[in-house]
Amino acid sequence: MSKTVIKPYIRNAKYYETDQMGIIHHSNYIRWMEEARLDVMKQAGISYRALEEMGIIIPVLSVSCQYKSMVHFDDTVEISVKTVKYTGVKFELEYEFKDAETGKTYTTGASSHCFLDRDYRVISLKHQNPGLHEKFKKMLEL
């Protein structure tokens, strides 16, 4: 069986995302992290739509960004996502935003999440959905 290789999420910086200084506004990095998170989950065989249909939601518990260099309009950014912790109840991700051409790091970040049911109660995927639990566990290896 071949190993799944997660590709970086590619994002082209849009003009409307810039601020008065002509650089990408800091709030957009959080949105891009969400886009990249959903993309990496999809690549790992986890559909967010299917999760919601099963009554599972994944709220953000915390998020952080460290801005190292500015992204400008029309820059192409590669966002790599790595799962650094998964317990069955919570998981943590790290992000690295790089210039697609030069490899220069623009930003790094992290987010943590948990699993809730429709009534906003914490759930354990290990107990409530072992198949899904295995997919998230496998994300640690990717």
Side-chain angles (χ1 to χ4, degrees):
M1 182 186 305
S2 65
K3 180 179 166 135
T4 303
V5 176
I6 299 295
K7 297 176 188 162
Y9 178 68
I10 306 298
R11 186 67 164 69
N12 186 259
K14 309 292 187 234
Y15 183 77
Y16 71 86
E17 296 171 312
T18 63
D19 61 17
Q20 193 173 13
M21 297 180 291
I23 59 174
I24 298 303
H25 189 271
H26 66 276
S27 65
N28 288 300
Y29 294 89
I30 305 303
R31 290 182 179 97
W32 294 0
M33 288 166 68
E34 181 172 320
E35 291 174 16
R37 178 172 60 255
L38 293 180
D39 181 70
V40 76
M41 287 171 57
K42 185 177 181 178
Q43 290 186 62
I46 304 166
S47 162
Y48 201 87
R49 181 175 302 279
L51 286 172
E52 287 185 337
E53 289 170 357
M54 289 185 263
I56 300 169
I57 57 175
I58 305 174
V60 175
L61 298 174
S62 68
V63 65
S64 66
C65 272
Q66 295 77 43
Y67 306 100
K68 301 178 182 302
S69 184
M70 295 174 272
V71 175
H72 296 84
F73 162 64
D74 212 27
D75 286 346
T76 301
V77 180
E78 279 187 5
I79 306 169
S80 298
V81 182
K82 180 172 178 47
T83 305
V84 293
K85 185 176 182 181
Y86 171 73
T87 67
V89 174
K90 294 181 181 180
F91 68 104
E92 297 175 9
L93 302 170
E94 290 181 348
Y95 307 82
E96 185 172 24
F97 299 66
K98 289 186 172 189
D99 183 286
E101 289 182 30
T102 67
K104 175 183 177 181
T105 298
Y106 289 124
T107 304
T108 58
S111 65
S112 64
H113 310 265
C114 69
F115 301 99
L116 301 179
D117 65 16
R118 284 190 177 105
D119 295 319
Y120 307 111
R121 291 183 301 235
V122 175
I123 60 173
S124 168
L125 290 186
K126 184 175 184 179
H127 298 106
Q128 293 189 296
N129 194 320
L132 195 53
H133 169 71
E134 289 303 318
K135 287 182 179 182
F136 271 96
K137 205 164 91 173
K138 188 171 177 81
M139 283 177 56
L140 281 168
E141 303 166 12
L142 303 177

